[in-house]
């Protein structure tokens, strides 16, 4: 959830991912996922099966048990129980999976950050977990060192987000508030904060919009060059075709939100269409259980099963979901 390119500071990677639009990072991931435009299934498995222990568990799972759990997942994706998985059903399932694992991760982090186990995470506890000490910067005093000043700015923004997430103004964040802090894009009351922070970051002339020039940041064309570099052409295309929906040459707050918050819906739709394109044997634009089982390996290296992870999480394959 990045709000545009920023200097990195030690220990802030997770927060950068939560607060910024991953322009460069997303492009790099796309290159690894689709080198030369070809879908690389082993990248899927490496990226989201996770640590080696999870990979080992996947390998140990017998073929029959794999199929049983997979069939259970297929039935749950098939929300209208007609025996077929449509693009919409696959997309909704993948989005639900994204959110489930994000929430699970936040819950695990909450336990780690809550040092005294009192059911809340204070700002001091957050600092201790992140930096092994409590850090306190003066909001009105800039630092001379460029890197230190960059870190100060990031830390102050984190504090503002922490305070905004704290709805009851208590001494710390409860679990729901901590989730809002870690995943503001998932919580409605944080939306305005995310937009405002993005405007503060990118709206240099203070008109309440982000122009193409502001979107591109500090880029200035080399006067000796005949044209912009490739990465600028890509970013301009994204601005025009992906974000500026009303074609007025600037991003309003809602359009800005589509940039600074990861578009899980778009990612899920792309993966759903990819699966149907690869696995639909009879061309009816939907998947039967037979077609999925025929292409089981592909399905298990896709976001529909979180790259096989769901076969080890009874939240997904248990009959009572």
């Amino acid at each position: 959830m990045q709000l545009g390119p920023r200097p990195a500071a030690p220990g802030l990677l997770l927060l950068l991912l939560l607060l910024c639009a991953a322009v460069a990072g997303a492009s790099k991931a796309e290159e690894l996922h689709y080198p030369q435009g070809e879908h690389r299934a082993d990248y899927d498995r490496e990226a989201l099966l996770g640590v080696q222990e999870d990979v080992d568990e996947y390998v140990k799972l017998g073929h029959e048990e794999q199929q049983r759990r997979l069939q259970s997942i297929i039935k749950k994706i098939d929300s209208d129980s007609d025996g077929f998985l449509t693009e919409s059903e696959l997309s909704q399932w993948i989005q639900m999976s994204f959110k489930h694992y994000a929430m699970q991760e936040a819950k695990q982090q909450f336990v780690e950050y809550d040092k005294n186990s009192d059911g809340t995470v204070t700002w001091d506890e957050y600092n201790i977990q992140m930096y092994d000490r409590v850090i306190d910067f003066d909001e009105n005093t800039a630092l001379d060192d460029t890197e230190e000043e960059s870190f100060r700015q990031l830390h102050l923004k984190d504090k503002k987000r922490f305070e905004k997430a704290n709805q009851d103004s208590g001494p710390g964040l409860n679990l729901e508030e901590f989730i809002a802090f870690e995943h503001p894009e998932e919580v409605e009351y944080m939306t305005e904060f995310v937009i405002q922070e993005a405007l503060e970051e990118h709206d240099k002339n203070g008109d309440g919009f982000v122009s193409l020039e502001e979107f591109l940041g500090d880029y200035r064309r080399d006067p000796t060059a005949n044209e912009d570099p490739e990465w600028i052409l890509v970013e301009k295309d994204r601005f025009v075709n992906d974000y500026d929906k009303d074609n007025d040459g600037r991003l309003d707050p809602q359009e800005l939100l589509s940039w600074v918050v990861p578009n899980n819906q778009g990612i899920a739709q792309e993966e759903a269409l990819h699966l149907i394109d690869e696995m639909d044997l009879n061309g009816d634009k939907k998947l039967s259980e037979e077609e999925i089982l025929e292409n089981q390996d592909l399905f298990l290296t896709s976001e529909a099963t979180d790259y096989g992870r769901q076969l080890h999480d009874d939240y997904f394959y248990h009959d009572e979901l």
Side-chain angles (χ1 to χ4, degrees):
M1 304 137 210
Q2 295 182 334
L3 301 180
R6 301 176 178 174
L12 287 178
L13 178 58
L14 177 60
L15 301 179
L16 288 170
L17 289 172
L18 290 171
L19 287 178
C20 300
V23 175
S27 299
K28 183 63 176 176
E30 188 74 7
E31 292 174 10
L32 293 171
H33 197 179
Y34 293 90
Q36 288 79 50
E38 296 294 325
H39 182 256
R40 182 182 156 219
D42 62 329
Y43 171 80
D44 295 341
R45 192 188 303 271
E46 293 165 8
L48 289 180
L49 267 181
V51 296
Q52 187 61 41
E53 289 82 354
D54 290 335
V55 177
D56 292 342
E57 284 301 313
Y58 172 83
V59 173
K60 291 176 185 177
L61 204 59
H63 178 72
E64 289 186 4
E65 181 62 14
Q66 275 190 14
Q67 286 216 328
R68 185 189 72 78
R69 296 187 184 185
L70 180 55
Q71 287 171 321
S72 179
I73 290 172
I74 292 170
K75 289 179 181 178
K76 291 172 177 57
I77 300 175
D78 182 17
S79 57
D80 62 6
S81 302
D82 68 348
F84 298 94
L85 305 189
T86 63
E87 179 267 330
S88 177
E89 289 172 329
L90 283 164
S91 177
Q92 289 176 15
W93 179 267
I94 292 168
Q95 289 178 69
M96 182 273 291
S97 175
F98 286 161
K99 185 169 185 177
H100 169 74
Y101 284 118
M103 297 304 101
Q104 289 297 104
E105 181 181 18
K107 290 176 182 178
Q108 292 170 4
Q109 290 175 330
F110 183 81
V111 174
E112 297 170 1
Y113 283 62
D114 182 12
K115 298 300 183 183
N116 62 2
S117 302
D118 68 347
T120 62
V121 172
T122 65
W123 178 241
D124 285 354
E125 287 176 321
Y126 170 78
N127 275 264
I128 291 170
Q129 177 67 23
M130 290 294 292
Y131 315 113
D132 293 323
R133 66 187 189 280
V134 176
I135 298 176
D136 186 23
F137 287 112
D138 185 339
E139 294 185 15
N140 302 311
T141 304
L143 302 177
D144 294 332
D145 183 87
T146 303
E147 290 188 4
E148 290 181 358
E149 173 59 14
S150 175
F151 178 76
R152 185 184 78 92
Q153 293 289 340
L154 286 168
H155 192 264
L156 290 174
K157 288 181 179 180
D158 296 339
K159 187 175 183 180
K160 284 177 62 178
R161 192 171 87 257
F162 190 95
E163 292 171 349
K164 177 64 177 179
N166 189 1
Q167 278 194 302
D168 61 11
S169 300
L173 305 184
N174 59 34
L175 177 58
E176 290 72 21
E177 293 168 335
F178 183 78
I179 289 173
F181 171 70
E182 291 288 344
H183 295 278
E185 79 287 353
E186 299 288 355
V187 182
E188 186 174 351
Y189 77 84
M190 294 293 288
T191 300
E192 186 61 35
F193 173 84
V194 172
I195 292 173
Q196 187 58 41
E197 188 171 51
L199 286 172
E200 291 175 4
E201 176 87 12
H202 302 288
D203 178 22
K204 301 304 182 182
N205 64 7
D207 66 352
F209 299 88
V210 173
S211 66
L212 176 59
E213 291 73 23
E214 291 168 332
F215 177 82
L216 295 175
D218 297 328
Y219 169 73
R220 297 293 181 270
R221 180 189 286 186
D222 184 342
T224 64
N226 293 325
E227 61 181 22
D228 292 321
E230 179 65 24
W231 74 270
I232 285 292
L233 297 178
V234 170
E235 291 307 304
K236 285 183 175 179
D237 180 74
R238 293 175 67 218
F239 181 92
V240 172
N241 296 310
D242 293 344
Y243 305 130
D244 185 16
K245 299 300 184 182
D246 58 8
N247 299 311
D248 66 351
R250 60 186 187 175
L251 305 185
D252 63 31
Q254 284 306 311
E255 291 169 333
L256 183 61
L257 192 64
S258 71
W259 172 37
V260 301
V261 172
N263 185 4
N264 285 343
Q265 180 178 357
I267 295 170
Q269 287 175 338
E270 287 181 11
E271 181 68 7
L273 290 171
H274 164 71
L275 285 173
I276 292 175
D277 184 58
E278 294 291 327
M279 301 170 65
D280 178 19
L281 301 178
N282 62 6
D284 62 357
K285 303 300 182 183
K286 52 189 176 182
L287 301 179
S288 66
E289 181 177 302
E290 291 74 17
E291 287 172 324
I292 293 171
L293 295 178
E294 179 75 17
N295 295 274
Q296 180 171 328
D297 288 343
L298 175 61
F299 202 70
L300 292 177
T301 52
S302 76
E303 285 160 339
T305 62
D306 202 5
Y307 309 91
R309 186 179 179 185
Q310 291 177 9
L311 270 68
H312 305 285
D313 187 339
D314 62 7
Y315 177 86
F316 291 97
Y317 70 78
H318 195 276
D319 290 339
E320 295 180 0
L321 175 64

